[in-house]
Amino acid sequence: MKIAIVCYPTFGGSGVVATELGLELARRGHEIHFITYSQPVRLALLNPNVHYHEVNVPEYPLFHYQPYELALSSKLVDMVKLHKIEVLHVHYAIPHAYAGYMAKQMLKEEGIEIPMITTLHGTDITLVGNHPFYKPAVTFSINKSDIVTSVSKSLKEETLKLFDIKNEIVVVPNFIELDKIADEQHSSCHRSVMANADERIITHISNFRKVKRIPDVIKIFHLIQQIIPAKLMMVGDGPEKEKAEQLCEELGISDKVIFFGNSNEVDRILSYTDLFLLPSQTESFGLAALEAMACGVPVISSNSGGLPEVNFEGVSGYLSDVGAIDEMAENALKILMSDANLAEFKKNALSVAQKFDIKAILPLYENLYLEALNKMTK
């Protein structure tokens, strides 16, 4: 099949999921066309089945905000016609599904029918989409999609609660590339760079927004390191990073916390990690937790959103109510204080992650593409 993937070219979340999905589809022989305003971070163009088309937005003094949706829909029309693209797969309801629908209508005027699959990732629903300014457009875009998927049951339920949705929503969970992670873990990075032999390594990875509850990460670690020797790896960047650094200073633990910023060596850091902290206010799925588990790292997380669908209580880690800092620290110590217990949780975390391997999830998308195409021919 010839498939166009529309996504944000971001470091994490939906951008990474869309990129990895496209690359794996290309390896299976499909022709993939990424259409976005910048080359996705993880996109490698060495596969002859992978193509990237940049959306350029001309600047005009008339516009206070440049109309990206117009540029994207026009680009989609041009690329569909030029490359005979058969399926549109857009990630995020707005602006991508909105632009995709406009492209479909323009193509229809020229006698070209093309199905659109919309994947909901979370922020497009819970934060942006539910705003009164955007809610009608989001509802319209979802209902005008030929097939709609969400990355978790929790997000599906939230979408149906917030919007008047007529379409069925199919849950297709996020995934992990276990083979790729296994290859990258055979690296020259040494554990001693991050911590001493007697110290447990604890890691948090995020975009450092308020929803991630970064102060909770620091406070949980502060409690842990009072009982056992430990180091905290903080990976990522965002508006809460400076406050986190200040909190570490106030608590007197700056020498035990390393702030990496955004990193392309996440898997290497996780390969030496003993425990992952994700006390978020909400997570539509919990991809960071899954990435940790795929490296054999147990997870201490909140029980909000889709996290219970990824982190299995008492198996791959523990779940607590949002803000339950003391309980999260206690659960962390249950895992970390015993070598045998830690080894068992590590083994279980990897076992749970295997259920989300891309090889198991990708056929679900392929079947949906075929279903969408069949709808067009009826």
Side-chain angles (χ1 to χ4, degrees):
M1 282 179 277
K2 295 184 177 184
I3 304 161
I5 292 181
V6 183
C7 64
Y8 284 115
T10 50
F11 244 99
S14 66
V16 167
V17 169
T19 303
E20 299 294 356
L21 171 64
L23 293 176
E24 185 64 20
L25 286 165
R27 284 190 282 269
R28 290 170 70 104
H30 301 287
E31 184 177 308
I32 306 301
H33 295 262
F34 288 94
I35 303 175
T36 183
Y37 59 83
S38 180
Q39 183 171 320
V41 173
R42 296 194 187 182
L43 181 58
L45 297 172
L46 298 178
N47 188 316
N49 287 334
V50 176
H51 308 272
Y52 163 62
H53 311 289
E54 183 175 351
V55 180
N56 294 303
V57 185
E59 291 191 13
Y60 295 109
L62 174 65
F63 298 120
H64 183 66
Y65 299 105
Q66 302 309 316
Y68 179 65
E69 291 87 347
L70 290 178
L72 175 58
S73 59
S74 296
K75 187 73 173 184
L76 286 170
V77 168
D78 291 342
M79 293 303 100
V80 168
K81 290 161 63 178
L82 180 63
H83 298 285
K84 305 291 190 294
I85 290 169
E86 300 167 276
V87 176
L88 294 181
H89 188 175
V90 301
H91 295 258
Y92 262 51
I94 54 171
H96 299 152
Y98 194 80
Y101 173 75
M102 293 306 298
K104 277 170 56 75
Q105 295 306 108
M106 286 187 276
L107 288 163
K108 193 173 182 179
E109 291 290 315
E110 299 187 37
I112 300 172
E113 296 271 4
I114 184 168
M116 179 174 72
I117 291 89
T118 297
T119 293
L120 310 176
H121 286 269
T123 307
D124 50 340
I125 298 301
T126 56
L127 294 181
V128 180
N130 195 38
H131 193 286
F133 289 168
Y134 300 114
K135 197 166 186 174
V138 172
T139 305
F140 177 86
S141 300
I142 294 173
N143 284 329
K144 289 298 183 180
S145 300
D146 297 286
I147 291 177
V148 182
T149 75
S150 72
V151 296
S152 68
K153 293 177 184 175
S154 171
L155 180 59
K156 173 182 176 178
E157 292 166 2
E158 189 77 2
T159 304
L160 294 174
K161 183 175 74 174
L162 293 174
F163 301 90
D164 182 20
I165 301 303
K166 311 299 183 187
N167 258 335
E168 179 188 359
I169 299 177
V170 182
V171 177
V172 181
N174 282 335
F175 49 81
I176 202 77
E177 288 190 84
L178 288 171
D179 290 345
K180 181 180 177 183
I181 289 172
D183 291 340
E184 290 184 358
Q185 284 185 324
H186 293 96
S187 68
S188 58
C189 176
H190 298 289
R191 187 187 190 280
S192 59
V193 174
M194 296 185 285
N196 297 326
D198 65 331
E199 293 176 316
R200 298 297 196 197
I201 294 178
I202 300 165
T203 297
H204 171 79
I205 302 170
S206 77
N207 54 17
F208 283 64
R209 290 185 291 126
K210 281 192 175 182
V211 71
K212 303 298 181 180
R213 298 183 70 92
I214 302 300
D216 286 11
V217 175
I218 304 294
K219 292 172 184 176
I220 294 165
F221 172 74
H222 181 240
L223 294 172
I224 293 170
Q225 59 85 41
Q226 290 176 351
I227 307 299
I228 60 172
K231 286 282 180 67
L232 176 62
M233 309 294 121
M234 297 289 283
V235 184
D237 204 352
E240 295 293 298
K241 184 182 176 186
E242 186 176 341
K243 293 178 184 176
E245 292 171 330
Q246 291 173 352
L247 181 57
C248 289
E249 289 182 15
E250 292 169 10
L251 295 173
I253 57 174
S254 293
D255 60 327
K256 297 180 180 180
V257 183
I258 300 175
F259 287 87
F260 285 88
N262 287 326
S263 174
N264 289 318
E265 297 186 314
V266 168
D267 293 335
R268 295 183 182 185
I269 294 169
L270 288 173
S271 69
Y272 292 114
T273 295
D274 297 303
L275 188 72
F276 191 80
L277 297 180
L278 195 65
S280 305
Q281 185 74 30
T282 186
E283 291 280 348
S284 58
F285 177 80
L287 185 59
L290 178 57
E291 289 179 336
M293 290 159 53
C295 294
V297 181
V299 175
I300 296 294
S301 73
S302 60
N303 56 13
S304 65
L307 282 167
E309 299 172 45
V310 181
N311 183 21
F312 295 178
E313 171 71 17
V315 180
S316 58
Y318 289 103
L319 298 150
S320 299
D321 291 340
V322 173
I325 293 168
D326 290 343
E327 182 181 298
M328 290 183 186
E330 289 171 10
N331 287 336
L333 289 167
K334 286 180 191 176
I335 296 173
L336 295 172
M337 290 187 71
S338 161
D339 288 343
N341 219 23
L342 177 58
E344 182 68 17
F345 271 92
K346 280 179 169 283
K347 183 182 74 173
N348 291 346
L350 179 57
S351 178
V352 172
Q354 287 170 343
K355 302 177 189 295
F356 299 90
D357 186 34
I358 193 169
K359 292 183 178 65
I361 305 301
L362 186 133
L364 303 179
Y365 277 118
E366 287 181 308
N367 290 338
L368 289 174
Y369 297 153
L370 290 172
E371 180 184 332
L373 282 168
N374 288 336
K375 283 183 179 179
M376 289 290 106
T377 57
K378 286 182 180 178

